[in-house]
């Protein structure tokens, strides 16, 4: 199988054939997860430690279930209660854990680049579960699997990524992935929430939803990430919803069979209308969560296989 990575730190280092390998293997895990017997042996005997330095609901639960279904011993470090609070550095914590011989380390951290730094210091395969506004590779992979299943392909699609691009690692990982797979990407949002350099990323930039969504095959909405904002990026939530919130009228500009996506957590009535989010004919938001478990199983399986091959 085409997969040559020691870690999964981002989409940027992956080649298109490696992305396809992950998605193809994930398909087999979708079937396993839908069956009555949800266990496989790919990570049997291995230890997986989840270190989340930032709050997470679905990503942490998803990595935990993925590890358990593949037979790993899974441990969740309570980072809020850990020695980090006592002033220990990220690297010291990592070295301490490293001495316990984990095979897989799943890390989420508020600082961009922190997970790459950590990967240099440990023997385990490190999976980035989101670092600052840098990357969130498993989110982009689960989004890609969801799109591929709905549209039958990843190339030559028009994908509108809308909202708070500036603070979003989900947007950055998706831009890398969709670019590598030769889809056309539009970023849509107010000028304050689109990074000034975005025009150089090989994407179209729109500040108007009607233009940005026109004919789009995929409409991906993002949360306003207030925890990363340090000033007035939007006039008010009401005004934001009026101009950029996805409702039926704005979705009407997209292709008639366009799908609606959101990585969660959602703010209904801010970036998306609740009725659209719940519309099973348009929204694939629950399917994204389902694909998340399968994609994480595939990624950890492939990293474990690669380590075995390297050790042999
Ligand atoms: C995203 C994240 O944490 O980057 N959520 C997620 O992983 N499902 C997006 C967000 O927090 O808005």
């Amino acid at each position: 199988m085409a997969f040559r990575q020691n870690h999964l730190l981002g989409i940027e280092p992956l080649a298109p054939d490696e992305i396809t390998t992950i998605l193809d293997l994930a398909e087999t895990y979708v079937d396993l997860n839908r069956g009555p017997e949800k266990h496989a042996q790919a990570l049997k005997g291995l230890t997986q430690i989840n270190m989340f330095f930032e709050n997470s609901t679905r990503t942490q639960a998803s990595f935990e279930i993925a590890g358990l279904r593949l037979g790993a011993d899974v441990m969740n470090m309570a980072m809020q209660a850990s020695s980090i609070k006592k002033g220990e550095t990220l690297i010291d914590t990592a070295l301490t854990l490293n001495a316990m011989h984990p095979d897989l380390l799943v890390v989420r951290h508020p600082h961009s680049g922190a997970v790459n730094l950590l990967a240099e210091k440990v023997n385990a395969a490190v999976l980035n579960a989101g670092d600052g506004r840098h990357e969130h590779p498993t989110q982009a992979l689960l989004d890609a699997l969801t799109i591929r299943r709905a549209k039958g392909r990843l190339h030559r699609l028009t994908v509108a990524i809308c909202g708070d691009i500036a603070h979003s690692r989900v947007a950055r990982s998706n831009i890398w992935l969709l670019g590598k797979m030769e889809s056309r990407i539009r970023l849509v949002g107010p000028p304050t929430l689109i990074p000034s350099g975005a025009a150089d990323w090989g994407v179209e930039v729109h500040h108007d939803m009607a233009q940005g969504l026109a004919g789009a095959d995929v409409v991906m909405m993002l949360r306003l990430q207030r925890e990363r904002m340090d000033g007035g990026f939007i006039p008010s939530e009401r005004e934001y919803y009026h101009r950029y919130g996805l409702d039926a009228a704005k979705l009407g500009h997209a292709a008639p069979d366009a799908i609606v996506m959101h990585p969660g957590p959602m703010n209904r009535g801010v970036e998306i209308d609740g009725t659209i989010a719940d519309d099973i004919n348009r929204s694939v938001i629950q399917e994204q969560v389902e694909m998340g478990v399968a994609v994480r199983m595939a990624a950890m399986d492939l990293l474990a296989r690669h380590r075995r091959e390297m050790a042999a």
Side-chain angles (χ1 to χ4, degrees):
M1 273 196 211
F3 191 80
R4 304 166 290 275
Q5 306 290 324
N6 296 322
H7 307 286
L8 182 62
L9 300 175
I11 299 296
E12 183 181 4
L14 299 182
D17 67 330
E18 294 178 299
I19 293 169
T20 303
T21 297
I22 300 171
L23 300 184
D24 290 347
L25 182 60
E27 286 286 0
T28 70
Y29 286 128
V30 174
D31 295 338
L32 181 79
N33 291 337
R34 287 184 177 181
E37 166 66 62
K38 298 176 173 58
H39 278 152
Q41 303 284 313
L43 302 181
K44 189 165 178 287
L46 302 186
T47 300
Q48 171 190 341
I49 301 182
N50 298 332
M51 299 166 76
F52 280 68
F53 296 90
E54 241 184 30
N55 291 340
S56 168
T57 317
R58 70 213 82 218
T59 305
Q60 183 167 353
S62 181
F63 267 112
E64 188 173 353
I65 290 175
L68 291 169
R69 289 202 177 147
L70 292 182
D73 294 317
V74 185
M75 201 269 263
N76 289 305
M77 283 281 289
M79 297 319 301
Q80 314 293 342
S82 78
S83 293
I84 291 278
K85 287 274 182 286
K86 298 181 189 163
E88 189 175 77
T89 67
L90 171 69
I91 298 306
D92 282 332
T93 307
L95 292 177
T96 303
L97 287 175
N98 193 48
M100 300 180 196
H101 299 292
D103 303 284
L104 297 154
L105 274 181
V106 178
V107 188
R108 169 171 285 193
H109 198 279
H111 295 147
S112 304
V115 182
N116 292 53
L117 184 67
L118 189 142
E120 290 170 13
K121 308 286 179 187
V122 298
N123 302 318
V126 176
L127 291 101
N128 182 0
D131 64 322
R133 60 184 76 180
H134 174 226
E135 280 232 41
H136 191 354
T138 56
Q139 179 69 44
L141 289 162
L142 75 87
D143 289 338
L145 185 59
T146 307
I147 295 171
R148 200 176 75 168
R149 288 168 64 95
K151 297 283 157 203
R153 64 183 202 275
L154 283 173
H155 58 276
R156 285 189 290 105
L157 292 170
T158 300
V159 181
I161 306 179
C162 311
D164 184 359
I165 313 290
H167 301 99
S168 179
R169 53 196 175 210
V170 176
R172 281 173 183 70
S173 288
N174 266 297
I175 292 166
W176 277 117
L177 192 152
L178 293 164
K180 285 175 193 279
M181 302 319 257
E182 295 172 22
S183 267
R184 192 158 81 137
I185 304 159
R186 297 191 192 145
L187 304 182
V188 193
T192 49
L193 293 179
I194 297 195
S196 48
D200 305 329
W201 297 352
V203 300
E204 282 177 30
V205 174
H206 293 271
H207 302 304
D208 176 80
M209 285 287 273
Q211 285 172 16
L213 264 54
D217 301 297
V218 176
V219 180
M220 188 182 290
M221 302 308 299
L222 298 173
R223 184 175 66 89
L224 284 178
Q225 307 205 30
R226 295 203 175 272
E227 72 277 20
R228 301 209 183 100
M229 295 183 193
D230 48 16
F233 283 85
I234 57 161
S236 72
E237 283 188 357
R238 204 161 157 266
E239 170 75 5
Y240 183 80
Y241 181 71
H242 176 66
R243 295 201 55 191
Y244 295 102
L246 186 69
D247 56 14
K250 295 191 192 85
L251 183 57
H253 296 282
D257 61 350
I259 55 168
V260 174
M261 307 179 75
H262 194 304
M266 259 187 293
N267 293 309
R268 291 166 186 261
V270 181
E271 72 267 2
I272 189 166
D273 170 41
T275 338
I276 300 275
D278 297 333
D279 181 350
I280 54 165
N281 295 317
R282 307 309 294 272
S283 164
V284 293
I285 295 172
Q286 295 305 323
E287 174 140 345
Q288 287 175 270
V289 178
E290 181 187 3
M291 294 308 124
V293 177
V295 147
R296 288 167 181 128
M297 290 166 82
M300 291 196 289
D301 179 350
L302 289 165
L303 284 167
R305 287 190 212 196
H306 184 71
R307 278 166 69 81
R308 279 194 294 271
E309 280 163 18
M310 290 291 111

